[in-house]
């Protein structure tokens, strides 16, 4: 029996797998000996069918699957070119070794599987082989542990020699295609084809059409090429024209074949070819009346060679591409439409699709395709069609050609008019982008965009992108309510259009707005939804950095610091983060927070020394967050001057309530507990206070009330603190209080009490496991500095200015310095600190470097002169 969870995983995978299975041809020869081998092999974890194209792998497997399903034995069919969620399923069940979890999985064309999926297959087969029953059909060996499994009796391999038709099977197959074939004819065909399935079928059809088969002499064309060419020559001209018009399509329906070929009977032709087994395969689920058709690679290759040598045949393809461009365009498949227009070599069609759908393609990450389309236009063509300036400007923006994008933005703006709303929208979109970097007035750009939205009717993709860019400008301009409203509109529009990349863009921008409002987990949900919407293709860099930085802060909030470091690395590697002031500021703050958490306070101080580069004043929320982080770090370092300076910044940027609350939280160092409590209570009365700061202040209030001995008030304050942090899981703001033993003791008593808060146990678990790197490095909060413990020595000074530069010792370097002052040898220092002599020497090298000296006596003299001893 499998667990309910694994059953759900199995069902989800089966639903996501491609339900279209190949239909066996009408001329099918059932090969019982191979069916028996497959029945035997599928009882083990792995069965491999390894043979070149044309050996009958797909026909054999489709016949075997059909027979099993008729007997009530389910099988999952997965095409290698579209494996769906196979890799994700493999990763989820890799640890389940106790039982076979799934019906047999047949993967046809397994050589087309992505390398990551093949690697996942190999892992499962090595670590949990009994978790699956796999049957893989491939043209060549895959990097799987086949030999290891065969030795253990857990794998079966069928190769070309096994798939060759024996005499009886060959006789039945030839007679199915050539009813008048004699025994001598069949014997000759079998001898020349050596039992190769495709060659048998083609030779039989040639025999049926001409009454004879001419075999090539030595050094002439390969047998299969000759037979396939002869067979094509026997086809009706309409059938051949249909094949030439459609073979470039990976898979097609009868309706699409009719569109591409211009022949209303194309669907019937495909059905006949698939039924006769002539290198066309029909795929359909059990209920489908309109199957998908795929051409065998041998047929595709021969048709490709044919058009390369025949202008007449080439014209079939060009005409088909033109028809397909119009068909895909009318069905909203802009990528396929533009590719077909390029293949049709139709400049006017390329230009029309570029202008109509270029922005949508760029937003979908198809910059290379759009660039190829512009390259295909004749020299000077864009100048003669100025509506393309905006699209080209967007292309240059996306590809990083800033100078070219600015130039095209100016040209697009010159020719933009109300009579061409799409071109005007492109110009406005580019102006919004430029305004965020100070090249144009942001408020003017915003008003222009808003005005356009009230007057113009735009296509959904252009509209969604314009709304996202408008929201980005509004976010920079501190108009967060308007930004959220326009992002909601953008998401509705993008979802109606089914444009996943624009959906992801709207979600990523919304995540940033939610984050700066203190809605940490809501922002994380939007960011994760953006990543999910990006799918296998992933997010464009501009959107990805927003999602990643927000997810990094959310991980910090839940005290998942290693996870946060992973997101920071992704953001740090993205160049686009440095060209966007908001993202650059958030990235710097995330790095500084993690440096503080690792106890690297001096590095965090360096990270926060200057504001992000911006064309104008920073948004108030960015100034607020930077000032709050700087004041927190200055508080840990005991730097009151910097704290006061940051309070002034908060007041100057419209964040006076936050400044008042910071002043209240630090007042306990100079004031008595009752006074500090009154100030904090007054600060918390402000209704619009920044939520993370209010939660931190509430935790301070809890500790101070505990110190007064007012147990009921302290308990009520704890519950209020938990109520504040729970909705957004803001555990990080509790770390200053969590570093206090009294706070953790009260939280433990509350958890075991009669009516614990629903989030209390989770908070206690996280805070109990949390190790404050800043505390271990010598940082102290106002709570720590005022802790009522008579035996606690005053905080050790770890920072100083040496030769005009600020330095900061680690806690261990300070301990080594103290031992040096006592006159201890390296061995004595090591023994006193429970470390090795090599570790002592490592700390001394760092200590001497920071003090700018090269020996003990100079180090002690300098340390005393700057107050470190």
């Amino acid at each position: 029996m499998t667990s309910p969870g694994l059953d759900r995983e199995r069902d989800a995978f089966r639903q996501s797998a491609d339900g279209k299975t190949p239909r066996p041809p009408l001329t099918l020869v059932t090969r019982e000996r191979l069916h028996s081998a497959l029945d035997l092999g599928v009882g083990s974890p792995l069965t491999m069918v390894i043979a070149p194209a044309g050996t009958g792998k797909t026909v054999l497997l489709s016949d075997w699957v059909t027979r099993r399903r008729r007997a009530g034995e389910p099988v999952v069919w997965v095409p290698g070119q579209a494996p769906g969620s196979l890799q994700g399923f493999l990763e989820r069940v890799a640890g389940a070794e106790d039982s076979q979890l799934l019906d047999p999985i047949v993967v046809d064309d397994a050589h087309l599987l992505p390398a990551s999926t093949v690697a996942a297959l190999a892992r499962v087969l090595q670590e949990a082989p009994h978790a699956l029953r796999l049957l893989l059909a491939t043209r060549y060996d895959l990097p799987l542990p086949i030999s290891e499994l065969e030795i253990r009796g857990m794998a079966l391999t069928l190769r070309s020699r096994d798939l060759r038709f024996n005499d009886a099977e060959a006789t039945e197959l030839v007679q199915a295609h050539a009813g008048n074939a004699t025994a001598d004819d069949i014997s000759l065909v079998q001898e020349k084809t050596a039992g190769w399935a495709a060659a048998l079928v083609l030779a039989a059809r040639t025999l049926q059409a001409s009454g004879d088969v001419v075999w090539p002499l030595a050094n002439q064309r390969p047998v299969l090429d000759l037979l396939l060419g002869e067979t094509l020559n026997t086809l009706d001209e309409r059938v051949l024209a249909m094949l030439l018009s459609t073979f470039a399509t990976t898979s097609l329906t009868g309706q699409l074949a009719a569109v591409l070929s211009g022949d209303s009977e194309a669907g019937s032709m495909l059905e006949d070819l698939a039924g006769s087994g002539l290198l066309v395969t029909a795929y359909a689920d059990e209920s489908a009346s309109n199957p998908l058709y795929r051409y065998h690679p041998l047929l595709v290759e021969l048709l490709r060679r044919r058009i390369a040598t025949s202008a007449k045949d080439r014209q079939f393809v060009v005409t088909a591409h033109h028809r397909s461009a119009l068909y895909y365009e009318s069905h909203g498949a802009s990528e396929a439409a533009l590719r077909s227009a390029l293949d049709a070599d139709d400049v006017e069609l390329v230009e029309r699709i570029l202008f109509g759908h270029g922005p949508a393609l760029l937003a979908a990450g198809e910059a290379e395709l759009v660039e190829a389309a512009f390259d295909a236009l004749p020299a000077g063509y864009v100048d003669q069609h100025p509506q393309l300036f905006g699209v080209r400007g967007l292309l240059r923006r996306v590809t990083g050609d800033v100078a070219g994008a600015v130039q095209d933005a100016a040209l697009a703006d010159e020719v933009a008019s109300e009579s061409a709303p799409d071109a005007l929208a492109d110009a406005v979109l580019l102006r919004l982008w430029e305004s965020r970097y100070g090249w144009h007035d942001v408020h003017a750009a915003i008003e222009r965009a808003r005005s356009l939205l009230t007057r113009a009717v735009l296509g959904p993709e252009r509209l969604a992108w314009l709304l996202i860019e408008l929201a980005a400008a509004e976010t920079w301009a501190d108009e967060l309510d308007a930004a959220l409203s326009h992002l909601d509109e953008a998401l509705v529009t993008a979802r109606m259009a089914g444009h996943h990349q624009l959906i992801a863009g709207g979600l990523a921008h919304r995540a940033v707005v939610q984050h700066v409002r203190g809605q940490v987990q809501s922002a994380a949900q939007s960011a994760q939804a953006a990543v999910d919407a990006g799918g296998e293709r992933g997010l464009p860099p501009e959107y990805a950095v927003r999602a990643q930085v927000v997810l990094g802060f959310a991980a910090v909030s839940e005290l998942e610091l290693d996870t946060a470091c992973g997101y920071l690395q992704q953001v740090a590697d993205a160049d686009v983060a440095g060209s966007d002031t908001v993202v650059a500021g958030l990235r710097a703050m995330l790095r500084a927070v993690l440096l503080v958490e690792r106890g690297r306070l001096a590095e965090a101080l360096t990270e926060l020394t200057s504001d992000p580069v911006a064309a104008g004043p920073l948004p108030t929320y960015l100034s607020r967050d930077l000032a709050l982080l700087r004041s927190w770090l200055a508080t840990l370092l005991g730097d009151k001057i910097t704290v006061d300076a940051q309070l002034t910044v908060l007041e100057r940027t419209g964040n006076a309530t936050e400044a008042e609350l910071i002043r209240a939280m630090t007042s306990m160092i100079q004031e008595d507990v009752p006074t500090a409590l009154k100030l904090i209570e007054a600060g918390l009365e402000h209704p619009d206070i920044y939520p993370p700061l209010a939660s931190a202040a509430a935790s301070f209030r809890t500790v101070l009330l505990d110190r007064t001995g007012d147990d009921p008030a302290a308990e009520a304050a704890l519950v209020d603190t938990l109520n504040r942090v729970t909705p957004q899981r803001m555990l990080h703001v509790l770390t200053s209080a969590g570093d206090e033993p009294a706070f953790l003791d009260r939280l433990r008593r509350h958890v075991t009490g009669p009516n614990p808060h629903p989030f209390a146990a989770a908070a206690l678990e996280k805070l109990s496991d949390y190790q404050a790197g800043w505390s271990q490095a010598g940082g102290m909060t106002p709570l720590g500095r005022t802790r009522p413990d008579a035996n606690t020595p005053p905080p050790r000074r770890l920072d100083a200015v040496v030769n005009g530069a600020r330095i900061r010792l680690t806690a261990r370097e300070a301990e080594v310095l103290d031992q040096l002052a006592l006159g201890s040898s390296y061995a004595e220092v090591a023994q006193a600190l429970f470390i090795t002599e090599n570790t002592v020497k490592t700390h001394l090298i760092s200590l001497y470097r920071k003090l700018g000296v090269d020996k003990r006596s100079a180090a002690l003299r300098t340390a005393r002169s700057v107050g470190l001893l």
Side-chain angles (χ1 to χ4, degrees):
M1 293 292 291
T2 59
S3 70
L6 292 174
D7 283 339
R8 285 192 296 272
E9 297 286 0
R10 176 197 62 193
D11 293 340
F13 167 63
R14 291 192 64 183
Q15 291 173 8
S16 71
D18 186 354
K20 296 188 179 297
T21 306
R23 287 178 176 173
L26 300 177
T27 54
L28 173 71
V29 173
T30 298
R31 309 175 73 186
E32 293 294 347
R33 62 185 179 87
L34 294 178
H35 280 215
S36 298
L38 295 175
D39 288 338
L40 175 65
V42 82
S44 300
L46 178 64
T47 303
M48 298 289 295
V49 181
I50 307 172
T55 50
K57 300 185 298 297
T58 299
V59 172
L60 169 66
L61 294 177
S62 65
D63 186 25
W64 179 78
V65 167
T66 300
R67 190 197 66 178
R68 285 183 66 93
R69 287 177 174 170
R70 285 174 180 167
E73 298 175 319
V75 180
V76 178
W77 183 281
V78 177
Q81 61 267 47
S85 60
L86 175 62
Q87 181 175 344
F89 174 75
L90 291 170
E91 292 172 350
R92 289 191 293 270
V93 303
E97 299 187 51
D98 56 336
S99 62
Q100 294 176 339
L101 303 178
L102 191 67
D103 305 318
I105 302 174
V106 175
V107 183
D108 192 26
D109 290 330
H111 53 276
L112 298 179
L113 289 173
S116 57
T117 304
V118 176
L121 279 171
R123 271 196 309 276
V124 176
L125 291 171
Q126 288 171 332
E127 300 171 5
H130 289 293
L132 296 173
R133 287 181 289 168
L134 295 167
L135 200 161
L136 309 181
T138 172
R139 293 184 198 169
Y140 47 78
D141 287 275
L142 300 176
L144 300 173
I146 300 173
S147 300
E148 175 187 337
L149 292 171
E150 286 180 335
I151 292 173
R152 298 165 61 188
M154 301 172 69
L156 172 69
T157 302
L158 300 177
R159 295 188 178 271
S160 298
R161 59 181 177 273
D162 304 302
L163 297 184
R164 289 174 182 165
F165 278 64
N166 60 30
D167 291 344
E169 294 167 341
T171 298
E172 186 177 352
L173 183 61
V174 171
Q175 288 178 339
H177 290 273
N180 296 327
T182 66
D184 290 341
D185 291 335
I186 295 172
S187 177
L188 177 62
V189 168
Q190 173 70 335
E191 175 189 350
K192 295 297 186 179
T193 61
W196 192 357
L200 279 168
V201 171
L202 295 172
R205 291 184 64 88
T206 302
L207 180 63
Q208 177 70 12
S210 63
D212 193 13
V213 178
V214 179
W215 300 101
L217 299 175
N219 300 323
Q220 288 186 337
R221 285 189 297 161
V223 171
L224 202 60
D225 273 10
L226 179 65
L227 291 175
L228 187 51
E230 290 291 329
T231 300
L232 288 181
N233 290 333
T234 67
L235 294 177
D236 183 87
E237 288 187 4
R238 288 178 63 190
V239 175
L240 184 56
M242 184 275 296
L243 289 174
L244 288 167
S245 301
T246 59
F247 79 92
T249 305
T250 304
S251 62
L252 68 161
T253 62
Q255 178 186 5
L256 179 56
V259 170
L260 298 180
S261 64
D263 193 323
S264 60
E265 299 298 321
S268 299
M269 297 176 195
L270 286 172
E271 185 177 0
D272 291 342
L273 292 171
S276 65
L278 188 59
L279 302 182
V280 177
T281 303
Y283 291 78
D285 57 30
E286 296 178 358
S287 60
S289 58
N290 297 313
L292 286 175
Y293 295 95
R294 290 180 184 148
Y295 293 167
H296 196 283
L298 295 173
L299 177 59
V300 171
E301 179 59 27
L302 187 67
L303 292 169
R304 184 177 290 115
R305 293 181 195 173
R306 184 156 180 156
I307 66 169
T309 58
S310 169
K312 177 183 176 182
D313 290 340
R314 168 67 181 164
Q315 189 56 44
F316 282 114
V317 177
V318 171
T319 303
H321 282 311
H322 191 275
R323 289 196 193 99
S324 67
L326 298 176
Y327 172 82
Y328 287 127
E329 184 184 22
S330 66
H331 285 73
S334 52
E335 177 187 347
L338 185 54
R339 292 188 189 280
S340 294
L342 287 170
D343 289 333
D345 198 21
D346 187 329
V347 173
E348 291 184 359
L349 185 57
V350 169
E351 180 257 318
R352 190 180 78 208
I353 295 174
L354 261 182
F355 178 61
H357 304 281
L361 290 168
L362 290 171
E366 293 292 343
E368 289 186 8
L369 175 60
V370 175
E371 191 167 22
F374 273 104
D375 290 342
L377 298 176
Y381 191 89
V382 177
D383 294 331
Q384 299 169 11
H385 297 79
Q387 70 269 24
L388 290 178
F389 284 139
V391 180
R392 192 175 65 181
L394 293 173
L395 168 65
R396 288 173 165 174
R397 171 196 164 181
V398 168
T399 55
D401 180 4
V402 175
V406 171
Q407 179 182 357
D408 276 339
L411 293 171
D413 210 46
E414 288 178 7
V415 301
S417 67
E418 297 289 340
S419 61
D422 285 345
L424 179 58
D426 294 341
V428 171
L429 200 157
L430 286 167
R431 282 296 190 225
L432 286 167
W433 164 67
E434 290 179 302
S435 73
R436 285 193 283 138
Y437 301 103
W439 299 324
H440 292 279
D441 180 70
V442 65
H443 298 289
I446 289 172
E447 288 308 313
R448 187 182 181 193
R450 291 173 177 170
S451 175
L452 175 64
L453 289 173
T454 64
R455 303 190 317 273
V457 177
L458 303 174
E461 293 90 354
R462 263 191 177 89
L463 177 59
W465 197 359
L466 179 62
L467 286 166
I468 290 171
E469 200 62 47
L470 172 59
E474 289 168 334
T475 302
W476 171 247
D478 251 335
E479 299 183 32
L480 299 183
D481 289 338
L484 279 178
S485 176
H486 285 128
L487 287 172
D488 287 341
E489 289 183 53
L491 286 168
V492 170
T493 305
R495 285 172 176 143
M496 289 176 60
H499 199 301
H500 299 293
Q501 296 291 304
L502 286 172
I503 293 171
L507 290 167
H509 280 270
R510 187 173 73 179
V512 170
V513 177
Q514 290 171 325
H515 169 76
V516 299
R517 286 189 152 182
Q519 301 164 350
V520 184
Q521 294 305 319
S522 298
Q525 291 170 6
S526 294
Q528 187 58 55
V531 173
D532 294 341
E536 295 181 1
R537 173 173 285 180
L539 295 178
E542 181 181 358
Y543 300 155
V545 291
R546 283 172 164 76
Q548 289 157 357
V549 76
V550 167
L551 289 169
F553 274 111
V556 169
S557 184
E558 294 202 66
L559 299 181
E560 300 289 345
L561 301 182
D562 290 338
T563 301
C565 286
Y567 285 120
L568 174 62
Q569 186 59 52
Q570 294 179 56
V571 176
D573 292 340
D575 292 336
V576 71
S579 63
D580 185 296
T581 302
V582 174
V583 175
L586 293 177
R587 179 177 63 175
M589 286 187 282
L590 179 59
R591 183 184 293 117
V593 168
L594 290 171
L595 287 171
V596 171
E597 290 300 326
R598 300 303 188 198
R600 295 156 63 179
L601 305 182
E603 293 176 61
L605 193 63
T606 301
E607 182 69 37
L608 295 172
T609 51
S610 59
D611 287 343
V613 176
L618 293 178
T620 58
Y621 57 81
L622 206 54
S623 297
R624 176 202 66 201
D625 290 355
L626 283 165
L628 290 175
L629 183 53
R630 287 165 177 159
S631 64
W632 176 45
L633 179 57
T635 300
L636 294 178
L637 296 173
D639 185 353
K640 187 177 185 303
I641 294 175
T642 299
V643 173
D644 291 340
Q646 295 307 312
L647 294 179
T648 301
V649 171
L650 287 170
E651 291 169 340
R652 188 178 66 246
T653 55
N655 297 288
T657 54
E658 282 73 18
E660 182 181 334
L661 196 51
I662 290 289
R663 194 174 285 112
M665 293 167 67
T666 56
S667 67
M668 63 186 72
I669 298 175
Q670 287 84 31
E671 306 288 350
D672 56 26
V673 170
T675 302
L677 271 171
K678 289 179 181 178
L679 293 172
I680 291 176
E681 290 280 4
L684 286 173
E685 289 179 359
H686 292 286
D688 298 326
I689 199 78
Y690 184 49
L693 179 60
S695 299
S699 70
F700 271 49
R701 178 178 60 182
T702 303
V703 174
L704 294 181
L705 286 169
D706 196 85
R707 289 180 182 178
T708 66
D710 190 342
D711 194 70
E715 185 67 13
L718 175 64
V719 173
D720 176 67
T721 300
L722 292 172
N723 286 337
R724 292 173 184 270
V725 302
T726 299
Q728 300 294 330
R729 298 182 65 85
M730 294 184 292
L731 287 166
H732 185 255
V733 302
L734 299 182
T735 54
S736 293
D739 198 46
E740 297 298 303
F743 183 85
L744 287 180
D745 288 343
R746 176 164 294 283
L747 189 55
R748 289 189 188 96
R749 292 195 300 272
H750 177 80
V751 168
T752 57
N755 188 28
H757 190 280
F759 191 57
L764 176 61
E765 180 181 1
K766 285 284 189 178
L767 291 172
S768 297
D769 294 337
Y770 170 74
Q771 296 293 324
W774 45 264
S775 179
Q776 296 170 2
M780 294 191 73
T781 68
L783 292 172
R785 295 181 191 280
T786 59
R787 187 182 301 137
D789 187 344
N791 297 320
T792 300
R796 170 64 187 273
R797 183 176 176 185
L798 297 176
D799 61 321
V801 176
V802 178
N803 297 327
R806 179 180 288 277
I807 68 163
R808 182 165 185 81
L809 306 184
T810 66
R812 182 62 82 185
E813 289 168 352
E815 292 173 340
V816 170
L817 182 61
D818 288 339
Q819 292 296 319
L820 291 182
L822 295 174
S824 302
S825 65
Y826 291 167
E828 290 169 337
V829 173
Q831 184 177 10
L833 301 181
F834 299 97
I835 56 179
T836 66
E837 286 190 46
N838 283 336
T839 303
V840 172
K841 294 175 182 177
T842 299
H843 287 304
L844 282 175
I845 291 172
S846 176
L847 182 62
Y848 290 171
R849 176 179 55 79
K850 290 179 180 180
L851 295 174
V853 300
D854 56 6
K855 57 184 178 180
R856 176 195 293 241
S857 59
L860 294 174
R861 183 169 56 254
T862 300
R864 289 191 177 95
S865 68
V866 298
L868 291 174
L869 279 175

